[in-house]
Amino acid sequence: MTTPLAQTVLERLTSVYRTAADPERAALMAAYMRGRFDFLGLPTPQRRVLSREVLAGLAAPVEADLRDIAHMCWDLPEREYQYFGCDLLVRCARQLSAAFITDAERLITAKSWWDSVDPLATRVVGSLVSSHPALGEVMDSWIAHENLWLVRAALLHQLNYHEVTDAGRLFDYCRIQSGHPDFFVRKAIGWALRQHGKTNPAAVRRFVRAHRAQLSPLSVREALKHLG
C-alpha cells in the first residue's frame, strides 16, 4: 500500500510537471536519447525548480516514502519522472537502510540507460555500500551478473570514494569485466580507473600496464586520459 506522503508527492508531481510540458522540446529530448523514452520537455534547471515546488511544505520522506515514490516514478512513461526519483534518492541516500539495495537493483534494471543508472550507482548504491560494508558482497554478485547495467553499477559504485576506495575490489572488477563487449561497461571501466587515478595514479598506471592486452582500447584511453 502506497504511503500517504508518496501519494501526495506523485499527485503534485504529475500536475506540476505536466502543466510545464513543452512538446517541441520533448521531441528533441526524445531524439537525443535515441527514442528510448518519452519526455515532457523539461530541461534540467527548470525541472529542478519545479521539483522544489512539488516538495515545498511537505514532511521529510522516510524510507518507505522514498521507496514508493521511486517505484511510482518508474511506472510513469515520461523520463523526467525517473529523473525526479533519482534526484530524491540521491538527496536522501544517507537515510536508506541496507535493505534498499533490493530496490536499487529493481530501479537499475528497469528502464535502464546511463542517465538513470549512473546517479543510482554512484550516489545511491555507493552510499549504501559505504554505510553498510556487508553490501560489498552484493557488488561482488553484480559484477558477474548477465545484466550489463548491474555490471556498470558495480564498477561505478566507488566513483566518489576517493581516498577510501577499495582499490583491490576496483581492480578485480575491472579485470573480471575487461573483455566485456558492451560500450557502457568498457566506458565504465575506464571511468572508474580514471577517477581512482586522481588519488593513486601510479596504481592505475600499473594496472593498465599489466592488463593492457585484456582491456579494450576505450577502457585504456579513458583510464589514462589525464595520466599520460
Side-chain angles (χ1 to χ4, degrees), residues 202-218:
V204 171
R205 287 194 186 97
R206 285 195 300 270
F207 177 83
V208 172
R209 187 164 55 246
H211 299 280
R212 194 168 195 133
Q214 292 78 44
L215 292 165
S216 72
L218 172 62

Side-chain angles (χ1 to χ4, degrees), residues 4 9 19 35 37-39 43 89 94 97 100 115 124 152-153 169 172 186 207 215 220 223:
V9 169
T19 299
F37 308 104
D38 294 330
F39 281 83
L89 290 176
R94 284 294 176 187
S97 71
F100 197 85
D115 57 335
V124 179
R152 183 175 170 96
R169 175 170 269 142
D172 282 347
R186 293 179 171 191
F207 177 83
L215 292 165
V220 171

Side-chain angles (χ1 to χ4, degrees), residues 66-76 100 102-104 106-107:
L66 295 167
R67 179 179 292 109
D68 286 349
I69 292 167
H71 290 297
M72 291 167 75
C73 284
W74 254 251
D75 288 339
L76 292 168
F100 197 85
T102 302
D103 297 281
R106 289 173 58 195
L107 298 172

Side-chain angles (χ1 to χ4, degrees), residues 160-186:
N160 297 303
Y161 284 17
H162 306 298
E163 290 81 5
V164 297
T165 297
D166 182 339
R169 175 170 269 142
L170 170 63
F171 291 141
D172 282 347
Y173 285 7
C174 293
R175 178 183 51 77
I176 289 167
Q177 291 296 350
S178 60
H180 199 288
D182 189 87
F183 168 86
F184 287 104
V185 172
R186 293 179 171 191

Side-chain angles (χ1 to χ4, degrees), residues 91-109:
R91 183 174 129 190
C92 301
R94 284 294 176 187
Q95 69 190 66
L96 298 173
S97 71
F100 197 85
I101 196 68
T102 302
D103 297 281
E105 180 171 345
R106 289 173 58 195
L107 298 172
I108 287 169
T109 55

